[in-house]
Amino acid sequence: KNQVEQSPQSLIILEGKNCTLQCNYTVSPFSNLRWYKQDTGRGPVSLTIMTFSENTKSNGRYTATLDADTKQSSLHITASQLSDSASYICVVSKNSGGFKTIFGAGTRLFVKA
Amino acid sequence: DTGVSQNPRHKITKRGQNVTFRCDPISEHNRLYWYRQTLGQGPEFLTYFQNEAQLEKSRLLSDRFSAERPKGSFSTLEIQRTEQGDSAMYLCASEDRENSPLHFGNGTRLTVT
C-alpha cells in the first residue's frame, strides 16, 4: 500500500484559475514533506519543503500547507499559467535522508487557454 | 548550468544486453541518489551514496543492477542482461544536507526491446 496518496489523479483548469492539489500520507515517523513539479520528460524540480513545525510555505504562486496531525498537505496554485501544466509530486521523508523518501504518484495538471 | 547532469538522455537496447548510465551531481553535494520512474508513477528509490560509500540499496535493485561512485563525485548505474521490465526513466539526484531540496537530473530513458 502506497504510503503517500495524491488526489486528484489528473486535473484540467483554465488559464488564470486557481487550483488545489491534495496529499495524504501515513509515513511515520515524519521528517519533512516536499512538493515537486515535473515537466514531461524532465526530472522533478523542488517547489517547497516543510518540516514538522511548519504549516505553510510559499514559492511565488505556489503555496503548500501541512497539517501534521491529520497527515495532510495541499498545494495551492494561484492564477495558473500554461507553463504550470506538469505533474506535481508530493514526497514524504521518514526521519531523515533521501533513501527513506516516499514519492506519491503525482497529480497531472493540464492548464488550458 | 551546474545542475545534475545525466548521460545518455535516451538508450534503446535489446534484451540481454548490458547498459551503463552516468550521473554528474552538483559538485559540492556529497549525497547522491538513483531512482527509477515508470509512466504515471512517482520515482522509486534504488540506491543512495554518501561520498563514495553506498549506504542503502532498495530491494528493487536486483543483482543485475550495480551502482558505483568511485571518487565520491560522478556515479554510474549498470544494468546487466537487461529485461523488458527494466524499461523506465532512471533519475539521479543529489543534495548537500538533510532536509534540503533534492536536485534531479533530467534522467536517462531506457527502452529494452
Side-chain angles (χ1 to χ4, degrees):
Chain A
K1 176 173 166 55
N2 197 346
Q3 299 179 60
V4 179
E5 299 283 350
Q6 292 189 243
S7 62
Q9 189 173 25
S10 63
L11 181 63
I12 302 172
I13 62 173
L14 291 176
E15 186 180 15
K17 298 296 186 182
N18 303 337
C19 67
T20 300
L21 314 180
Q22 299 291 342
C23 174
N24 296 338
Y25 63 93
T26 59
V27 176
S28 181
F30 171 87
S31 174
N32 62 64
L33 186 147
R34 319 175 197 207
W35 283 93
Y36 284 83
K37 177 186 179 187
Q38 186 174 24
D39 293 314
T40 300
R42 303 187 67 89
V45 174
S46 177
L47 295 176
T48 63
I49 179 168
M50 291 180 289
T51 58
F52 185 88
S53 59
E54 297 174 292
N55 56 23
T56 188
K57 185 72 71 78
S58 290
N59 178 359
R61 295 180 296 104
Y62 301 101
T63 299
T65 65
L66 172 64
D67 185 335
D69 292 330
T70 62
K71 298 187 177 180
Q72 296 179 325
S73 177
S74 65
L75 180 69
H76 186 76
I77 305 175
T78 304
S80 60
Q81 300 176 358
L82 298 179
S83 60
D84 293 332
S85 295
S87 287
Y88 291 85
I89 302 175
C90 175
V91 186
V92 182
S93 293
K94 285 184 178 183
N95 275 346
S96 63
F99 62 86
K100 294 180 178 135
T101 292
I102 300 166
F103 288 70
T107 291
R108 190 75 176 95
L109 176 65
F110 299 89
V111 181
K112 293 193 175 295
Chain B
D1 185 354
T2 57
V4 178
S5 176
Q6 291 189 246
N7 289 287
R9 287 297 314 277
H10 305 275
K11 178 70 177 177
I12 300 174
T13 191
K14 292 186 177 179
R15 188 176 53 190
Q17 297 295 305
N18 300 343
V19 294
T20 300
F21 311 140
R22 177 178 170 124
C23 171
D24 288 89
I26 294 173
S27 58
E28 59 268 26
H29 289 183
N30 59 17
R31 299 163 180 250
L32 184 147
Y33 306 83
W34 285 98
Y35 294 89
R36 180 171 69 188
Q37 185 177 27
T38 53
L39 197 62
Q41 299 298 314
E44 295 174 295
F45 168 76
L46 291 178
T47 190
Y48 160 61
F49 289 86
Q50 185 159 336
N51 298 311
E52 66 276 10
Q54 189 174 19
L55 298 184
E56 187 77 11
K57 289 173 63 173
S58 164
R59 285 172 292 178
L60 293 173
L61 214 66
S62 75
D63 55 8
R64 295 185 299 105
F65 288 69
S66 62
E68 295 183 342
R69 195 181 182 197
K71 297 181 180 178
S73 55
F74 73 92
S75 176
T76 59
L77 177 68
E78 181 183 16
I79 309 174
Q80 295 182 326
R81 305 181 303 280
T82 52
E83 302 173 355
Q84 287 186 321
D86 298 331
S87 295
M89 173 80 87
Y90 290 84
L91 290 163
C92 175
S94 69
E95 70 177 359
D96 61 355
R97 64 187 185 284
E98 291 180 15
N99 291 331
S100 66
L102 283 169
H103 295 262
F104 283 87
N106 284 323
T108 294
R109 178 163 295 284
L110 173 66
T111 302
V112 181
T113 61

